[in-house]
Amino acid sequence: MAHRFKSDLSWSDVTPETVYLNRRAFMTGATALAAGSIAAPGLAATSAFSTDEEPNAWDEITQYNNFYEFGTGKSDPAEYADALTTTPWAVEIDGMVDKPGSYSFEDIMSAMTIEERIYRFRCVEAWSMVIPWNGFELADLLNMAGVQEGAKYVAFETLYRPEEMWGQKRNFIPWPYREGLRLDEAMHPLTIMATGIYGKDIPNQNGAPLRLVVPWKYGFKSIKSIVKITLTDEQPVASWNQIAPHEYGFYSNVNPEVDHPRWSQASERRVGGGLLAKRIPTLMFNGYEAEVASLYEGMDLTENF
Ligand code: MTE
């Protein structure tokens, strides 16, 4: 089991949006009571990792997406992702694990504890959102498969099914979409596999039925609709790094001090703020510096961007 963070709360499986909003109202009134986590009777507890920033609306989160398997426009995924069949679904876990094999989505879900995590989400394109995910810690899944000594990285792959994902008929990305993490990043308790948003099943356009969420890294690391996870001792291929290595590093930690070659990363536009809204400053490690900076101690973050 992954170690639990700060407090060992009992998490609710789902938080309907109405209850969720009530809870938010309740929490605002009771902020002084606890720093971040309040277990109100009958209401979902929120993680100590959750931000208390206002989450984006469901429509913003589900209609402004990047999922190039369904086209490159921001509204393409919402328009075309219905074509994706997500049942049955299985994740192949292989490489340096004790129990390699095909894990069905149902088996995974029955073994995992679903929590709510309200995370900031920062795309490399300099827009951002706050998203109330439901999901489980990736560490729990990796421990279920049994990580072998010597494994140093985790590689992920999205489904390849061009008959349902029309964008895969164009070759600007060498499909399937791939991503990777160092093992310690993958085992960090902030790293989750998301299966829901606002207590509902995660919509196809957001990466159904399960997608990675690594909140201190640029959004493209958070690979969607995963069918394969490989434990390895070699740094895996990551799609954007493969396509444009001088623009997208393997690490891709959010860093306001290291600009993209074509634009500044010092600030961001919060989606939903309106066209006249002021940009907000981008935070080191997207605001998760206290939790993750130690993972990169001694590393030159300009070099290892
Ligand atoms: N995963 C796959 N398979 N294909 C993609 O095109 N886009 C990435 C990431 N995961 C992408 C992907 C990028 S660039 C971002 S910013 C996030 O998904 C967007 O997640 P969201 O649409 O849920 O906000």
Side-chain angles (χ1 to χ4, degrees), residues 65-69 121 123 158 177 206 211 219-220 222 224:
N65 300 99
N66 279 333
F67 199 168
Y68 281 12
E69 284 83 341
F121 187 88
C123 178
T158 294
Y177 193 98
N206 292 87
R211 61 90 56 89
F220 66 84
S222 292
K224 296 178 170 183

Side-chain angles (χ1 to χ4, degrees), residues 98-116:
D98 295 333
K99 287 169 273 178
S102 176
Y103 292 74
S104 77
F105 180 66
E106 291 72 22
D107 286 350
I108 292 172
M109 288 303 272
S110 63
M112 296 293 125
T113 308
I114 302 299
E115 309 174 7
E116 179 185 72

Side-chain angles (χ1 to χ4, degrees), residues 60-62 64-71 77 121-125 127 129 131 133 157-159 165 168 173 175-179 197 202 205-207 211-212 218-226 240:
E60 290 157 359
I61 298 167
T62 62
Y64 187 92
N65 300 99
N66 279 333
F67 199 168
Y68 281 12
E69 284 83 341
F70 298 104
F121 187 88
R122 169 60 157 84
C123 178
V124 73
E125 297 163 338
W127 53 265
M129 295 201 204
I131 305 183
W133 304 105
E157 277 182 36
T158 294
L159 177 72
M165 300 170 126
Q168 291 180 330
I173 290 179
W175 309 108
Y177 193 98
R178 291 185 182 88
E179 259 307 334
I197 294 171
I202 195 165
Q205 59 266 34
N206 292 87
R211 61 90 56 89
L212 185 69
Y218 291 120
F220 66 84
K221 298 293 287 183
S222 292
I223 180 174
K224 296 178 170 183
S225 304
I226 293 167
W240 284 105

Side-chain angles (χ1 to χ4, degrees), residues 20-34 36-38 40 44-46 51-52 116 118:
Y20 176 88
L21 293 171
N22 288 337
R23 181 170 59 74
R24 298 290 302 171
F26 167 80
M27 285 183 64
T28 313
T31 323
L33 275 178
S37 51
I38 297 166
T46 203
T51 172
D52 51 17
E116 179 185 72
I118 307 168

Side-chain angles (χ1 to χ4, degrees), residues 122-128 263-265 267-269 279:
R122 169 60 157 84
C123 178
V124 73
E125 297 163 338
W127 53 265
S128 66
W263 58 85
S264 165
Q265 294 293 26
S267 69
E268 64 202 50
R269 174 180 65 87
R279 293 175 72 88

